[in-house]
Amino acid sequence: MHRAYQPITPAGNKLLQQKWDDKYYNEHRTLVRTAKPMVDTKAPRTYVHMHMKLRKLQLEEERLATIERDNRILLEKMSHIMRTRGRVDNRNEYEHHSLNREKRQRELMRITKENQEILKRIMKREPEYDHVQWQREWEKNEAFMDNIARYPKGWYDEWKAEEDKKRQQSRGASRQSTRRSSEQSPRKKSQRRSERKSLTQDSEQEDRKDTDQEEDVKETDQSAEDTKDADQSEEPKEEEGAAGGEEEAQKEVEQEGQ
């Protein structure tokens, strides 16, 4: 019973309902299969004259035909020249003559005459500005500027030239010294070192001698000062002795007078 056809709508006879449903379904499928579309989706119709341009092909064939004809004629001429060794008259003694040569010459002469006349008028015209007076005024103004200027005219160029000259001289001297030092041998360097050592030793000895002499001078000065002090202390004693002797002599003279 479960394998029997089950219609969607209630029916009295299931077999007949199945038969009718199959018939309606098959008719629907045939209608769907044979249905025509509302929109035409087919490719557009092609025309031969639009794809194959016969006029263009004809013109191309005519062009190739003319080229082929010209090539054939040229080949025949070349073969004739090769067979008959040339026999071609290529000399042309024709001289080119211009039809308007005289007119162009007349126009050129007219233009040159006009230019010459304009040049004459320009040369005869006197200038409105006196350049000589301008030069004099400029020289006068330069003199005024030189008078009120802080530095003389052209001092910077001279100073720069002197500095460049000094710099070049110093460079030359340094180069010569470097060359001499590079040319010196190791023996000369050792000799110089020994000379420097000897000079240092001599200078040390001289310094010692000077110190000794200074000490001697100081000692002599000290001894001289001591002797001066001793002389100064003895001089009052002598004066006192001399004064006492004079008093004694006066006393003797007075006693004799009495």
Side-chain angles (χ1 to χ4, degrees):
M1 189 68 184
H2 63 279
R3 293 183 180 180
Y5 177 71
Q6 299 295 329
I8 297 171
T9 59
N13 192 346
K14 292 182 178 180
L15 294 172
L16 291 174
Q17 191 66 37
Q18 183 181 3
K19 187 177 181 180
W20 294 336
D21 290 341
D22 292 338
K23 181 181 178 183
Y24 295 149
Y25 179 73
N26 291 329
E27 288 177 358
H28 172 69
R29 294 300 299 170
T30 53
L31 289 172
V32 171
R33 199 180 299 112
T34 58
K36 292 182 179 181
M38 298 296 292
V39 179
D40 189 5
T41 58
K42 293 180 182 179
R45 188 177 178 182
T46 59
Y47 299 96
V48 179
H49 69 277
M50 293 180 69
H51 291 280
M52 292 188 65
K53 297 179 180 180
L54 300 176
R55 181 64 178 170
K56 187 176 181 181
L57 293 172
Q58 185 181 358
L59 293 173
E60 187 68 21
E61 288 178 359
E62 290 177 358
R63 189 177 68 82
L64 293 173
T66 54
I67 291 169
E68 187 68 25
R69 183 174 58 81
D70 294 338
N71 290 335
R72 183 171 52 78
I73 293 168
L74 183 61
L75 182 62
E76 288 177 358
K77 288 180 180 181
M78 291 174 69
S79 63
H80 177 69
I81 291 167
M82 293 296 290
R83 286 197 308 271
T84 58
R85 295 183 180 179
R87 294 189 184 181
V88 179
D89 187 8
N90 56 1
R91 290 177 294 176
N92 189 4
E93 297 178 357
Y94 176 77
E95 295 181 359
H96 180 72
H97 298 286
S98 177
L99 298 175
N100 58 351
R101 181 177 180 182
E102 295 179 356
K103 184 179 179 181
R104 287 189 287 105
Q105 287 181 353
R106 289 196 298 271
E107 189 70 18
L108 181 63
M109 292 296 291
R110 184 182 65 79
I111 292 168
T112 53
K113 285 181 181 179
E114 289 180 357
N115 292 334
Q116 288 177 0
E117 290 176 358
I118 292 168
L119 180 62
K120 286 179 182 179
R121 289 200 297 271
I122 292 169
M123 296 298 290
K124 289 180 181 179
R125 178 69 179 175
E126 293 182 357
E128 295 181 359
Y129 300 102
D130 190 1
H131 66 280
V132 178
Q133 185 178 0
W134 286 2
Q135 184 67 26
R136 290 173 183 170
E137 290 178 355
W138 173 246
E139 291 176 356
K140 193 174 181 180
N141 291 329
E142 282 187 342
F144 288 154
M145 286 190 289
D146 291 337
N147 291 331
I148 65 175
R150 185 175 181 180
Y151 298 101
K153 190 175 181 181
W155 69 273
Y156 180 75
D157 296 332
E158 293 177 358
W159 175 77
K160 193 173 183 181
E162 290 178 358
E163 290 293 327
D164 294 336
K165 190 174 180 181
K166 290 179 181 178
R167 197 179 293 109
Q168 290 178 359
Q169 289 177 357
S170 63
R171 286 179 182 175
S174 63
R175 287 176 183 173
Q176 289 179 359
S177 63
T178 52
R179 286 178 183 174
R180 289 174 183 174
S181 62
S182 62
E183 289 175 358
Q184 285 179 355
S185 61
R187 292 181 179 177
K188 290 183 178 180
K189 290 182 180 179
S190 61
Q191 289 177 0
R192 284 191 173 185
R193 288 176 184 174
S194 61
E195 289 176 357
R196 287 176 184 172
K197 288 181 180 179
S198 62
L199 289 171
T200 52
Q201 290 176 0
D202 295 336
S203 62
E204 288 176 357
Q205 290 178 0
E206 288 177 357
D207 293 334
R208 289 175 183 174
K209 287 180 181 179
D210 292 334
T211 52
D212 295 336
Q213 288 177 0
E214 288 177 357
E215 290 177 356
D216 295 336
V217 169
K218 287 180 180 179
E219 290 177 357
T220 53
D221 293 336
Q222 189 69 28
S223 61
E225 288 177 357
D226 296 335
T227 53
K228 283 181 182 180
D229 293 334
D231 294 334
Q232 288 177 1
S233 60
E234 289 177 356
E235 282 178 359
K237 292 180 180 180
E238 291 177 356
E239 288 177 358
E240 290 177 357
E246 288 178 358
E247 288 177 356
E248 290 177 356
Q250 288 177 359
K251 287 179 180 181
E252 290 177 356
V253 171
E254 285 177 358
Q255 288 175 2
E256 290 177 358
Q258 289 176 0

